[in-house]
DNA sequence: CGTCGCTGTGGGACCGTTCCCATCCCACCG
DNA sequence: CGGTGGGATGGGAACGGTCCCACAGCGACG
């Protein structure tokens, strides 16, 4: 409550006006880059601000502009998983880089359970932030839809399941799976299996589609397919299925690193060598990929760049909420390690 | 900028006053739990607020109270590492739980490099947040000291290196190391080595001290000691050192999970079985611990509880900046897995 | 030479709270 | 029965910006 009163520093626009010898209106104009200020006055104000280290009062500005200068970073992941991902770290770093020079606050908001979700919705409805960044791989989340309907600027990381009038930023999963397949083909592998993700999620669909299309493009028949849910644990079951199917394979594309980790363990249990007997490629380039043994070859998303695009898109939307939807899809990159 | 105008919902205290049939002063009093309002009026206002779903305007309130209703969560970790830790996830969850019901914003702030650090400092100085939560294991960080000197409420997670007039919340590292040692002793191991952390960090010091003290308490002579820097990679060197020392050992306490991961790999390379030949205990219970093979027995901190305490301490400090320092140290817990 | 218009500037209302202060009412006491 | 004091209440000034509007100054043009 008690703020240290820096008696030396000017805290109001009026004081700056006095220092610069102009009216507070002119100072305000300079602060907001409004045209119609003489170069002389502009310079006068600028140097007064420079000299005093003045920063405008957020609250006062917010009160009249009805903008908060904050955007919400909603993490609607039930598990801790999203944090345990370098994905999240890079996301935050990218968003921060965009937001910091503008003095916009990145407000962290968790939606762990239904109650939190309800509270959050109520909160966002009251305009406590100017817009929302969704860093959620959980495509079924109803929150984005609701907020879009309420006309709150929203941008998603990851393509939404259904046709939703919302901008998003995503990695090209189809191309990513293609990269993986082509890498395996280049290594001379011809019998390529896959552990696919859940088919009710865009990422799951696209990665499987990229797999089959890339093989088709090279005239290679796809090997056996099993399904997991992207998470740790589900990959083991799928791997067992593949092995039980009897269909031979010397290459394996797994739609997530976490499942690939399971796959590696199961392969080892079955005394199959990686990469000699089976070359394995994952997806995500999560922290698990480097910690795996052997270290996992995987498909990386340019997350930081994506985060910047995401944030910029949101800021655009906040400036003009009626602008048309603009989504961006980024190209992935193959990171080669010891598993291929 | 353009906020959806919910024409139906009252947005001002005046409107609530009209609905309740009182003056805006009385509404304000009810909102702030100020005494001196008749029960009748209080109830009238309460139900008016309830009925309309009114929420006071942050900016207007902030303007006059000179408090922002936001606290900064400063992550002053250069690497992405802190995010990749369930530690961080739990930290955020704990802080959120405290902060959400109070309508206080948790503003995420990164201090990746020196430039960011300078900007951040400048920013915090201008009172854009009411207080700062430091989630930084990096004890040498000068930021807390500066902010304390500027009289900005600050609370640290992790004991600071030097005597700093600041509250902190930490896990009892000495006791944690003790748990690890006692566990190994119970398993019948008598020759116990350790890979200690850096001795210029409190956590490094305490974990080594706990190790030696616990052994001394049981009259067991400590085995060889090697040092790492807590990070991935440094554990391998230390492990090699221990093996090269020639001193035999059947138990190993490693001061961080990441180093323990390295140790496991080196032990495997040397054809030593875990836990048969060497039982290994880590520290932190990071995500790496469960992903290790064999899964790592380790010492866990009650992070979420610690985060709550951290946040509550900060809020207390904001309320009364001159209150005496109050730090809390939490007891750790041993999590037994396959490596012992 | 008067008027018009245009650029640059300043004054002041307003945003939605809090909080100080004045006022009112009522009970109690001398 | 008038005076007093204290609790409840309301009015209005502030908080520090933005932005509308009025107006000064000045060159151009009829």
């Amino acid at each position: 409550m008690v703020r240290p009163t820096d008696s030396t520093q000017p805290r109001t626009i009026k004081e700056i006006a006095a220092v610069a010898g102009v009216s507070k209106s002119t100072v305000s104009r300079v602060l907001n880059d409004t045209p119609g200020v003489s170069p002389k006055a502009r310079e006068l104000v600028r140097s007064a601000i420079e000299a005093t280290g003045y920063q405008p009062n957020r609250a006062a500005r917010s009160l009249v502009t009805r903008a908060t200068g904050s955007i919400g970073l909603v993490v609607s992941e039930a598990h801790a998983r999203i944090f345990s991902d370098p994905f999240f770290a890079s996301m935050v770093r990218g968003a921060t880089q965009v937001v910091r020079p503008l003095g916009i606050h990145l407000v962290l908001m968790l939606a762990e359970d239904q109650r939190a979700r309800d509270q959050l919705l109520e909160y966002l409805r009251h305009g406590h932030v100017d817009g929302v960044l969704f860093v959620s791989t959980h495509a079924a989340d109803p929150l984005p839809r609701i907020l879009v309907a309420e006309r709150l600027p929203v941008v998603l990381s990851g393509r939404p399941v259904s046709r939703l009038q919302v901008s998003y930023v995503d990695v090209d999963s189809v191309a990513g799976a293609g990269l993986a397949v082509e890498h395996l083909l280049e290594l001379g592998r011809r019998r390529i299996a896959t552990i696919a993700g859940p088919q009710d999620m865009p990422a799951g669909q696209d990665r499987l589609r990229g797999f089959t299309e890339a093989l088709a493009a090279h005239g290679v028949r796809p090997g056996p397919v099993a399904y997991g849910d992207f998470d740790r644990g589900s990959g083991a079951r799928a791997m067992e299925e593949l092995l039980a199917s009897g269909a031979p394979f010397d290459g394996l594309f797994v739609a997530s690193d976490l499942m690939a980790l399971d796959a590696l363990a199961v392969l080892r249990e079955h005394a199959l060598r990686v990469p000699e007997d089976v070359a394995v490629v994952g997806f995500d380039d999560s922290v698990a990929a480097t910690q795996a043994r052997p270290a996992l070859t995987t498909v990386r998303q340019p997350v930081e760049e994506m985060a910047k695009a995401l944030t910029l898109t949101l800021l655009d939307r906040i400036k003009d909420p009626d602008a048309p939807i603009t989504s961006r899809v980024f190209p992935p990159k193959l990171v080669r390690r010891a598993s291929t």
Side-chain angles (χ1 to χ4, degrees), chain A:
Chain A
M1 296 298 171
V2 178
R3 209 88 317 302
T5 47
D6 258 354
S7 47
T8 54
Q9 286 204 358
R11 305 228 80 89
T12 78
I13 208 173
K14 229 179 210 162
E15 296 176 84
I16 292 295
V19 171
V22 297
S23 75
K24 67 192 172 72
S25 299
T26 301
V27 176
S28 176
R29 277 187 273 261
V30 173
L31 284 172
N32 296 291
D33 270 325
T34 308
V37 180
S38 69
K40 201 185 67 189
R42 196 174 288 274
E43 199 35 58
L44 236 43
V45 172
R46 266 203 220 295
S47 57
I49 291 172
E50 181 77 21
T52 55
Y54 164 81
Q55 285 193 13
N57 181 306
R58 249 183 126 66
R61 175 174 282 182
S62 188
L63 183 57
V64 43
T65 59
R66 325 199 69 62
T68 63
S70 307
I71 63 180
L73 177 69
V74 173
V75 179
S76 62
E77 191 68 48
H79 320 74
R81 224 193 57 212
I82 185 138
F83 287 106
S84 336
D85 229 298
F87 178 77
F88 183 73
S90 304
M91 212 72 202
V92 168
R93 186 161 323 126
T96 299
Q97 277 172 30
V98 171
V99 134
R100 178 163 37 212
L102 301 173
I104 292 175
H105 279 174
L106 198 61
V107 180
L108 197 52
M109 300 173 156
L110 250 57
E112 324 91 88
D113 52 32
Q114 193 51 47
R115 213 177 115 258
R117 187 170 263 98
D118 290 344
Q119 287 185 6
L120 187 58
L121 179 60
E122 185 58 20
Y123 197 71
L124 293 173
R125 274 190 171 131
H126 275 88
H128 284 127
V129 293
D130 298 339
V132 180
L133 238 41
F134 271 90
V135 182
S136 142
T137 36
H138 219 84
D141 199 313
L143 220 46
R145 176 183 302 281
I146 298 173
L147 293 177
V148 167
E150 307 243 346
R151 297 186 44 73
L152 187 71
V154 165
V155 175
L156 307 186
S157 94
R159 177 159 60 88
V161 254
S162 53
R163 284 272 147 264
L164 185 56
Q165 281 303 306
V166 60
S167 300
Y168 64 88
V169 167
D170 207 347
V171 71
D172 189 339
S173 277
V174 175
L179 284 178
V181 166
E182 267 154 32
H183 174 58
L184 289 170
L185 289 174
E186 269 168 30
L187 293 170
R189 312 294 165 131
R190 283 296 174 274
R191 298 158 167 280
I192 304 180
T194 188
I195 297 179
Q199 293 303 299
D200 58 348
M201 284 170 79
Q205 294 162 7
D206 291 356
R207 289 172 196 185
L208 180 55
R209 188 152 66 83
F211 170 81
T212 40
E213 287 181 4
L215 283 176
H218 289 81
V220 177
R221 248 192 40 197
V225 178
Y227 298 91
D229 65 6
F230 279 142
D231 263 338
R232 196 80 205 277
S234 71
R237 237 185 356 265
M239 190 70 238
E240 294 284 5
E241 262 180 55
L242 288 182
L243 292 170
S245 75
F249 54 92
D250 53 8
L252 173 64
F253 165 58
V254 188
S256 82
D257 282 354
L258 290 177
M259 295 195 297
L261 233 63
D262 291 337
L264 290 181
V266 172
L267 286 170
R268 184 163 34 224
E269 279 166 24
H270 285 259
L272 287 164
R273 293 165 306 161
V274 174
E276 293 83 353
D277 298 325
V278 183
V280 179
V281 182
F283 205 113
D284 288 339
D285 194 27
S286 71
V287 77
T290 51
Q291 288 179 0
R293 333 216 101 221
L296 196 63
T297 295
T298 188
V299 178
R300 174 189 291 169
Q301 332 181 12
V303 184
E304 200 163 321
E305 208 187 330
M306 286 166 66
K308 286 189 199 171
L310 190 72
T311 313
L312 287 171
T313 306
L314 180 62
L315 295 181
D316 282 350
R317 248 199 130 49
I318 290 171
K319 230 179 278 161
D320 179 10
D322 297 315
I325 302 300
T326 54
S327 297
R328 281 186 65 186
V329 176
F330 284 74
K333 217 178 85 184
L334 190 84
V335 181
R336 192 163 172 201
R337 296 208 181 85
S339 70
T340 57

